[in-house]
Amino acid sequence: MVKHTDHTVTVLDKLTYAGNRASLAGLPEDRVRLVVGDIADAGAVDPLVAEADAVVHYAAESHNDNSLHDPRPFLDTNIIGTYTLLEAARRHQVRFHHISTDEVYGDLELDDPARFTEHTPYNPSSPYSSTKAGSDLLVRAWVRSFGVRATISNCSNNYGPYQHVEKFIPRQITNVIRGIRPKLYGTGENVRDWIHADDHSSAVLTILDKGEIGQTYLIGADGEKDNKTVVESILELMGQPTDAYDLVTDRPGHDLRYAIDSTKLRTELGWTPTYGDFDSGLAATIEWYRQNEAWWAPAKDGVEAFYASKGQ
Ligand code: DAU
């Protein structure tokens, strides 16, 4: 992995319910600056982009369950926010990298030998994934029409430390820590393609360094697992019986399976993931949640109340 020790980073974050200042604790203060603001606010965005060498656009409303409950913030941040950043990148001719998701491709059958590639047609299912698909198309249009120097990456499901407790893996780990049984939607047969967040970051850095302008790269680490298997691993690693979970109301429109073919990124840019063994990455993640209850505890009760209101 390429590592830079001389760059400075400005984090523009609205600090919604999903943001947390404490996630920046311990980073060098002379090289990492937090600006609290909205990517859809051109007045906040413009001066920051004007002084940047590159914009890496991670900001998004990202949670499917929330988008099914209230889609509007997804349109505001994912569509208008991306448009606002692109316009600033265009004005100031700044290199742009857009972070997106494999969910833009819809889902696959469980027994389909195919995986998503850069050529798979877009077919998003949820309000969340449709706004991410729309944002990808905006980036492509700004490259072609206005010459913005942009690349796009579409990544599979991330796991690791600092992930909000609304997401599947941290929700189940923190449930077990709290003495609550893990909750599996539907039958638990849905498959996700897991990648450690550090591997996602190294892929993004590789694309920023070596990616070809106008190109899309899929990021994945061959980590397909069904949800039931993941919950059983969490229970086993946490010393619980592996059947100590509940099956709960399924997510409406629940995508069945995601699977990434990351051949292009690996062969053209030479990227490889470093977390080969899911169970050891999961064990380290469990340990992080055990050690960092102060980071996640303030959000836990609200998240569980939201899920409980939907029978999940
Ligand atoms: O594929 C990339 C995407 O991965 C990202 O674009 C999204 O921002 C990110 O949220 C994630 O989307 P998912 O909907 O796949 O992630 P989530 O953690 O919500 O759920 C993962 C799987 O686990 C999914 O099949 C739903 C299921 N699930 C989720 C929760 C919260 C459960 O069975 N029980 C749960 O309590």
Side-chain angles (χ1 to χ4, degrees):
M1 170 180 163
V2 193
K3 287 200 173 165
H4 295 283
T5 52
D6 51 351
H7 287 172
T8 58
V9 176
T10 298
V11 178
L12 174 61
D13 196 311
K14 198 176 172 186
L15 292 185
T16 64
Y17 80 96
N20 191 342
R21 280 176 194 276
S23 300
L24 299 177
L27 294 173
E29 285 176 16
D30 56 330
R31 293 180 47 221
V32 180
R33 169 175 62 136
L34 172 66
V35 176
V36 179
D38 186 346
I39 59 163
D41 173 0
V45 162
D46 195 79
L48 299 177
V49 174
E51 66 181 26
D53 297 317
V55 173
V56 184
H57 174 26
Y58 275 97
E61 287 289 341
S62 76
H63 199 49
N64 278 298
D65 294 313
N66 294 343
S67 81
L68 295 163
H69 177 72
D70 180 14
R72 179 60 197 247
F74 291 74
L75 291 151
D76 292 338
T77 296
N78 301 356
I79 300 287
I80 302 299
T82 300
Y83 156 77
T84 307
L85 287 170
L86 281 168
E87 281 292 81
R90 172 188 174 197
R91 231 177 350 261
H92 300 291
Q93 298 184 17
V94 171
R95 169 84 169 89
F96 193 89
H97 180 70
H98 181 59
I99 307 290
S100 192
T101 169
D102 58 359
E103 295 193 18
V104 298
Y105 300 114
D107 60 354
L108 298 160
E109 293 299 326
L110 294 179
D111 59 357
D112 190 337
R115 297 190 290 170
F116 300 140
T117 74
E118 288 78 5
H119 302 294
T120 305
Y122 274 35
N123 188 27
S125 313
S126 74
Y128 159 64
S129 54
S130 60
T131 58
K132 288 302 288 183
S135 70
D136 292 7
L137 299 184
L138 291 177
V139 177
R140 290 183 186 178
W142 261 244
V143 171
R144 175 152 174 176
S145 301
F146 304 124
V148 169
R149 290 179 296 123
T151 42
I152 298 173
S153 55
N154 297 81
C155 189
S156 60
N157 283 63
N158 284 212
Y159 76 99
Y162 295 101
Q163 191 172 32
H164 195 274
V165 289
E166 70 189 354
K167 303 292 187 196
F168 177 54
I169 288 179
R171 183 183 184 205
Q172 313 315 336
I173 294 171
T174 54
N175 275 354
V176 176
I177 292 173
R178 286 273 168 99
I180 307 168
R181 286 162 69 93
K183 310 291 182 218
L184 270 176
Y185 293 174
T187 60
E189 67 179 344
N190 303 65
V191 170
R192 295 296 183 264
D193 189 352
W194 294 99
I195 181 172
H196 195 281
D198 289 352
D199 280 334
H200 186 185
S201 298
S202 76
V204 169
L205 195 51
T206 301
I207 296 165
L208 206 51
D209 273 344
K210 298 196 276 187
E212 189 183 325
I213 299 304
Q215 291 293 308
T216 290
Y217 298 90
L218 263 55
I219 305 174
D222 300 330
E224 277 189 75
K225 286 189 189 300
D226 64 54
N227 294 337
K228 186 165 164 288
T229 302
V230 174
V231 158
E232 287 170 350
S233 297
I234 291 170
L235 285 163
E236 189 169 349
L237 287 164
M238 298 184 77
Q240 302 291 317
T242 53
D243 60 354
Y245 58 80
D246 296 328
L247 297 178
V248 296
T249 309
D250 206 354
R251 172 186 286 171
H254 195 177
D255 280 339
L256 193 51
R257 170 175 163 242
Y258 305 140
I260 289 270
D261 177 348
S262 59
T263 302
K264 177 178 174 179
L265 176 62
R266 293 175 194 235
T267 56
E268 292 187 11
L269 304 188
W271 174 81
T272 47
T274 56
Y275 287 78
D277 175 24
F278 179 74
D279 276 356
S280 60
L282 188 59
T285 303
I286 290 168
E287 189 52 27
W288 189 88
Y289 281 90
R290 279 195 169 121
Q291 298 297 327
N292 289 277
E293 189 154 352
W295 183 88
W296 56 263
K300 182 67 180 169
D301 290 346
V303 163
E304 289 308 315
F306 171 69
Y307 282 129
S309 73
K310 299 187 299 124
Q312 295 176 323

